[in-house]
Amino acid sequence: MSDSHFHKTARRSLGVRLTVPLLLSGLLFAALSVGIGNYLFESHLRETARSRALGLGLGLAIVAGADDELAELQRVAAAWGALADVDELVVVGGDPPRVLASANAEWVGLPIHDLPGLALQEAIGRAIGGSGPASGPGLNAYGVRLHLPVTLRPGVIGNDLPARGGAVVAVQPHPATVSFVGTAWQAVTSMLVLLLVALSLNVFRI
């Protein structure tokens, strides 16, 4: 075996010994990055949806407490419910409770137990009996369903005094937000893959 061949083999062996640990470390780092990145991605989308639902819910509470016309409350509910990121929007009140306004006009006037879905019915019950806004899972992977109590202005449901009601809003992250964040995360992931491929090629370099 010539000296040049021996030195070349020794350099290759040393390069492999040095590169393999780096490659394994890179793989571990990539796996952790993907896991943490997915968690942050989902958390950001859910927090965005929760903040959006809270804003709409508080807005409904203001309208319900300031206007004694159900028609106006329904106009607001229908307009906001038509937004691309809103899945459900319901205001209830009365004794027994019934739907006063909703994004779905067919629900108006229905008692709670006639609404579709046990989760929605339970959210409405918690809204009426709750002390403040609270949220839970929405209708899709990143969505949020928020419920909160509202105070109905006298006259809204034939009441002489302010009456207690509730509002439920289910929101998903806006499609544009999901698309932008998803594209950004795919770009970061692609860069990690390219770096790992480049590092892997060093193992086979002579």
Side-chain angles (χ1 to χ4, degrees), residues 51-129:
S51 178
R52 173 69 164 157
L54 179 60
L56 292 173
L58 293 176
L60 284 175
I62 292 173
V63 175
D67 201 301
D68 59 1
E69 294 291 334
L70 279 180
E72 179 61 24
L73 183 59
Q74 175 56 29
R75 279 193 290 270
V76 172
W80 292 356
L83 298 173
D85 55 347
V86 177
D87 294 322
E88 290 175 349
L89 194 151
V90 184
V91 181
V92 298
D95 186 18
R98 59 185 175 86
V99 177
L100 304 178
S102 172
N104 187 338
E106 296 179 355
W107 292 359
V108 176
L110 293 179
I112 294 176
H113 57 76
D114 282 349
L115 293 175
L118 181 60
L120 174 58
Q121 296 175 21
E122 291 177 344
I124 291 173
R126 289 192 294 268
I128 296 174

Side-chain angles (χ1 to χ4, degrees), residues 24-62:
L24 294 176
S25 299
L27 289 172
L28 178 61
F29 173 76
L32 289 174
S33 298
V34 169
I36 294 173
N38 282 335
Y39 172 78
L40 294 176
F41 171 74
E42 294 179 3
S43 297
H44 171 73
L45 291 179
R46 290 195 182 96
E47 180 56 29
T48 299
R50 195 199 71 80
S51 178
R52 173 69 164 157
L54 179 60
L56 292 173
L58 293 176
L60 284 175
I62 292 173

